[in-house]
Amino acid sequence: MPATRERSLTERDFERLIRATYRIDDDEKALEARALVLIGGRLGLRPGEFTHLSSSWIDWQRQMIRIPLHHQCTKGRDGSLCGYCRQVIEQQVRSSDRSFAELEREYWQPKTTAGARAVPFHFSPRVHVALEFLDEQYGGWPYSFSTLQRRLNTTLDHAPRLPADATSPHGLRATAASYHASRGLDMAALRAMFGWKDLETAQQYLNVDGAMTRRALSSVH
């Protein structure tokens, strides 16, 4: 099981985290935090995907986020690359013969080609409203990864029944995967929604905490 699975939230704790966003004094930050929790914990976007979320990705008619193979990153100072993209490129430079300048033209891009995908959100009115807020207010997520992390940390600070390290941006992704797997989304659909390269990762989220067994018993009794 992936390490991030350990920071996946139960449905009850996920609702506690959402409730905590209403305790944040700054209304704008509270709305941003709520959007982060809902989109991360129900759609399972990777942190890099969420950081670069743009209005151009949102297909309102079909109620899907369409994550592209390439999106020019301008979230750094004066429209340059953000720190997240710089860190990824620096790691690639160390393990390849390509230069930083050459790789810079390719970012942002998903972790793998499977990451370029359509993520439906029609099943959740709360997610729909959160996306509307980001779209209308900012044209997508307006900040860097560090701000993403700060909004989540602030939310956890306002959730007295959750430990400070209860989850993380990757943990919210695991929360979403566990949520959909427990409701019967099959392996192939999980793989497509979360942009995994292989079925093995999807398999790790099936039958978590006996949810599939419980559902099967309910269908026959």
Side-chain angles (χ1 to χ4, degrees):
M1 190 68 68
T4 52
R5 177 66 186 85
E6 298 173 3
R7 303 182 79 178
S8 170
L9 297 173
T10 65
E11 288 192 45
R12 186 172 298 170
D13 283 345
F14 181 73
E15 293 300 325
R16 287 174 175 142
L17 194 65
I18 293 173
R19 192 166 68 232
T21 66
Y22 289 91
R23 300 191 183 104
I24 299 173
D25 294 333
D26 186 306
D27 290 343
E28 205 78 356
K29 291 180 179 178
L31 287 167
E32 292 163 4
R34 199 168 309 133
L36 163 61
V37 172
L38 284 166
I39 296 168
R42 285 298 175 257
L43 302 189
L45 299 192
R46 293 183 174 96
E49 294 165 353
F50 194 100
T51 301
H52 295 88
L53 176 65
S54 166
S55 290
S56 64
W57 297 11
I58 305 174
D59 181 341
W60 291 110
Q61 184 175 2
R62 299 194 66 190
Q63 298 187 70
M64 292 181 173
I65 295 176
R66 298 186 181 279
I67 300 173
L69 275 170
H70 174 258
H71 183 84
Q72 185 62 49
C73 178
T74 57
K75 291 186 176 286
R77 185 174 297 177
D78 299 324
S80 62
L81 289 179
C82 68
Y84 183 95
C85 285
R86 288 186 177 277
Q87 184 177 21
V88 173
I89 292 172
E90 286 167 359
Q91 290 173 350
Q92 290 193 15
V93 167
R94 289 195 291 269
S95 60
S96 73
D97 57 0
R98 302 180 69 188
S99 68
F100 188 98
E102 184 181 0
L103 289 167
E104 184 177 14
R105 292 191 291 271
E106 300 177 5
Y107 276 81
W108 175 82
Q109 61 178 266
K111 184 178 180 181
T112 67
T113 54
R117 64 197 190 278
V119 183
F121 58 84
H122 66 284
F123 62 89
S124 173
R126 292 195 299 183
V127 171
H128 191 122
V129 171
L131 284 167
E132 282 181 341
F133 164 70
L134 293 181
D135 177 35
E136 295 168 3
Q137 192 75 7
Y138 305 117
W141 179 256
Y143 308 116
S144 65
F145 174 76
S146 59
T147 302
L148 188 80
Q149 184 67 65
R150 283 198 299 271
R151 292 290 182 275
L152 182 55
N153 289 344
T154 299
T155 303
L156 286 165
D157 289 342
H158 286 79
R161 300 192 66 175
L162 298 178
D165 62 349
T167 193
S168 65
H170 284 287
L172 287 175
R173 176 171 163 82
T175 298
S178 297
Y179 173 80
H180 292 292
S182 70
R183 274 159 175 72
L185 196 63
D186 65 32
M187 199 184 306
L190 274 175
R191 176 188 180 186
M193 181 173 181
F194 288 86
W196 293 315
K197 289 190 298 183
D198 52 57
L199 291 175
E200 182 180 351
T201 307
Q203 179 66 54
Q204 294 171 335
Y205 285 94
L206 296 176
N207 208 26
V208 172
D209 300 327
M212 289 183 69
T213 303
R214 186 166 58 249
R215 189 173 62 253
L217 283 170
S218 298
S219 71
V220 298
H221 292 288

